[in-house]
Amino acid sequence: MIGGNFTYYLAILALIIIGVLVVKRIASCLVKTIITLILIALGVAIYYYFLR
């Protein structure tokens, strides 16, 4: 069980880091919104499939 939780936290950390880097480099508000929604969807999918 610890390995599963560790993998989950690593995936969430990677999503946060990638999200911050992408948002810093892209100026359009619409693109920021789309990227944020995609990252939230990925986070929910990871939670649903790994911690269900």
Side-chain angles (χ1 to χ4, degrees):
M1 190 66 178
I2 270 185
N5 286 340
F6 184 69
T7 304
Y8 170 72
Y9 291 123
L10 278 179
I12 293 299
L13 182 63
L15 284 174
I16 291 171
I17 291 171
I18 291 169
V20 168
L21 290 175
V22 168
V23 167
K24 278 186 168 185
R25 296 188 187 274
I26 297 175
S28 172
C29 187
L30 179 62
V31 175
K32 285 182 185 179
T33 304
I34 292 170
I35 290 172
T36 303
L37 290 175
I38 290 171
L39 289 174
I40 290 171
L42 286 173
V44 169
I46 289 171
Y47 176 77
Y48 179 74
Y49 287 116
F50 289 113
L51 292 179
R52 187 169 58 126

